[in-house]
Amino acid sequence: MTPLQMVDTKTQYLKIKKEIDAAVIGVMESSQFIGGKVVTDFAENLAAYHDNKHCIPCANGTDALQIAMMALGLQPGDEVITPSFTYIATVEVAALLHIKPVFVEVDPKTFCIDPVAVEKAITPKTKAIIPVHLYGHAADMEAIMDIASRHNLYVIEDNAQGIGNDYTFSNGTTKKTGTIGHIGCTSFYPSKNLGAYGDGGAMFTDDDGLAEKMRMIASHGQSKRYYHDVVGCNSRLDAMQAAILDIKLQHLDEYIGARRKAADFYDQAFAGNEKITVPFRAANQQHVFHQYTLLLNGADRDALSAFLAANDVPSMIYYPVPAHRQKMFDSFGSSAYILPVTDDLTTRVISLPIHTELDNEQQQFIVNKVLEFIKK
Ligand SMILES: *Cc1c(COP(=O)(O)O)cnc(C)c1O
């Protein structure tokens, strides 16, 4: 059996090696390392995949979130409502801009931001809601967009884990996550569902004005070369990553299919086990399984993780410490938050290997080891 890994980017690469190698060499031969046609072609192709007007590439997903907040004109003292159960990048950039992250609960089934909690947390200072499509399952965007329009708030989707998820509204329209809010942000970190061979990220919007602002901010605030209209930053997707991503984009749906198939295998193997809750899948979307995360009922999560490790089965805890308990937010008084669902999840979730290259033999081995421990 091939040794197990949380993600297997090497085997995935070997299957498209010829195309990737040629694309990388093409960039080197062109000597156009920054900007240029390769980057704009990829941005256009990714916008088309999303059926969205503008895709603005940048250096990473964290920058994408920061640039989105800057483009929306959020000011020091403004508040943004976010889940505490997320990767730190979602909220860190708010703090960096002196915007107050207001942490709310997640839905205990989907692990995504709870719309009821969002509405309760709105104050006169609230400017935006930042839902995170955690593990690849979309937040309840229909409810969130409704709250945002009633309270005149912006929505920035953190779609770093959700790229490619098709979300259907009750009126029958379907949109890709990342194109529902005013701005969507994603990451091309290598382990993400559309992963580069280095860092990368992008913002999405249908709004021409916001697109222009984000383009400027990502490029030192310049409207034309050496004319700097606003304070910005330097955040670029380099041409080599764009060339690689453009090839991988052609395989994205196939990659998502492979992840969903692996998730189905796990779901079936764990079905009916009362100590294991398999990932929830809302009927109005296509979970893209960036992670396959079990919720344990009564089993010792950390002991399971250690048992798996002893059997060469990797597993991960996303995330052991929620944002409101991170030291970095002490000055925001965040330890005073009472978020029992979030706290409970951090002690009970465990993510198993899921990627495009998993085979049945590997998955059966993982399942057997999990069940062996659970039965003890
Ligand atoms: C990966 C990730 C980010 C940040 O992306 P980087 O490209 O690593 O900066 C932000 N939010 C979430 C939920 C992520 O998973």
Side-chain angles (χ1 to χ4, degrees):
M1 187 178 72
T2 320
L4 296 164
Q5 302 173 71
M6 284 304 284
V7 282
D8 183 355
T9 47
K10 173 94 185 263
T11 309
Q12 193 192 55
Y13 159 65
L14 292 175
K15 289 182 179 165
I16 50 171
K17 184 178 185 316
K18 253 195 188 157
E19 294 164 83
I20 295 272
D21 291 2
V24 169
I25 288 168
V27 171
M28 290 194 284
E29 282 177 348
S30 77
S31 272
Q32 175 92 51
F33 299 114
I34 300 291
K37 190 171 174 340
V38 174
V39 180
T40 49
D41 280 356
F42 168 63
E44 271 171 31
N45 293 338
L46 192 58
Y49 174 85
H50 281 85
D51 196 14
N52 199 238
K53 208 162 166 192
H54 303 281
C55 165
I56 299 111
C58 67
N60 56 68
T62 309
D63 277 7
L65 290 157
Q66 179 178 334
I67 294 163
M69 288 181 210
M70 290 168 79
L72 291 171
L74 302 194
Q75 297 297 317
D78 286 347
E79 295 178 0
V80 295
I81 299 174
T82 83
S84 175
F85 193 56
T86 182
Y87 181 55
I88 199 67
T90 316
V91 279
E92 182 188 28
V93 291
L96 194 68
L97 298 170
H98 302 282
I99 296 160
K100 184 180 173 185
V102 173
F103 300 113
V104 299
E105 273 297 21
V106 289
D107 177 303
K109 277 208 307 250
T110 66
F111 309 161
C112 292
I113 198 166
D114 175 2
V116 176
V118 169
E119 192 142 25
K120 281 193 194 142
I122 294 171
T123 76
K125 290 184 176 170
T126 308
K127 289 287 154 54
I129 307 167
I130 310 180
V132 181
H133 304 312
L134 199 71
Y135 308 148
H137 188 283
D140 183 349
M141 290 308 292
E142 181 145 2
I144 289 161
M145 294 313 289
D146 176 56
I147 293 167
S149 75
R150 281 190 284 110
H151 295 269
N152 206 12
L153 303 174
Y154 293 119
V155 174
I156 303 170
E157 292 177 78
D158 182 341
N159 197 34
Q161 301 187 5
I163 196 165
N165 189 335
D166 288 313
Y167 183 95
T168 304
F169 290 81
S170 50
N171 69 5
T173 52
T174 297
K175 286 186 171 189
K176 292 240 182 265
T177 52
T179 70
I180 301 166
H182 300 85
I183 300 177
C185 298
T186 202
S187 162
F188 307 124
Y189 185 79
S191 64
K192 297 282 157 80
N193 285 18
L194 179 59
Y197 295 168
D199 274 311
M203 291 83 70
F204 297 84
T205 187
D206 270 331
D207 183 306
D208 296 343
L210 279 177
E212 193 48 38
K213 273 191 198 152
M214 290 193 283
R215 259 184 240 289
M216 272 173 65
I217 292 167
S219 178
H220 298 292
Q222 64 186 1
S223 51
K224 57 181 180 182
R225 205 155 197 199
Y226 305 127
Y227 289 77
H228 306 272
D229 299 358
V230 295
V231 174
C233 55
N234 173 24
S235 189
R236 300 184 282 238
L237 179 72
D238 69 70
M240 242 180 255
Q241 298 308 331
I244 291 162
L245 287 164
D246 211 21
I247 290 164
K248 292 188 72 180
L249 175 60
Q250 295 164 31
H251 298 274
L252 180 57
D253 285 340
E254 163 202 329
Y255 290 161
I256 291 170
R259 286 172 177 275
R260 287 176 56 83
K261 198 167 151 245
D264 291 344
F265 185 102
Y266 281 139
D267 274 5
Q268 276 175 24
F270 297 129
N273 192 309
E274 60 191 23
K275 286 193 175 166
I276 296 173
T277 303
V278 298
F280 180 77
R281 305 188 195 196
N284 68 334
Q285 57 172 285
Q286 294 282 307
H287 195 323
V288 294
F289 287 100
H290 174 60
Q291 297 299 341
Y292 185 88
T293 304
L294 298 175
L295 184 64
L296 301 180
N297 313 308
D300 182 336
R301 194 267 313 268
D302 295 334
L304 168 60
S305 172
F307 176 79
L308 293 177
N311 286 280
D312 298 319
V313 177
S315 64
M316 288 292 283
I317 309 305
Y318 301 111
Y319 296 90
V321 182
H324 75 286
R325 294 193 182 280
Q326 299 287 354
K327 273 193 204 148
M328 68 155 74
F329 295 124
D330 280 356
S331 65
F332 288 100
S334 50
S335 59
Y337 282 96
I338 298 168
L339 302 172
V341 175
T342 297
D343 283 337
D344 182 50
L345 291 177
T346 59
T347 66
R348 291 171 55 203
V349 291
I350 183 165
S351 300
L352 300 179
I354 191 156
H355 53 76
T356 58
E357 312 305 317
L358 266 184
D359 62 37
N360 286 355
E361 186 192 11
Q362 290 175 307
Q363 279 199 282
Q364 194 58 56
F365 185 82
I366 296 164
V367 164
N368 290 347
K369 290 297 164 194
V370 171
L371 293 177
E372 190 182 325
F373 176 85
I374 293 287
K375 276 190 205 114
K376 279 197 215 165

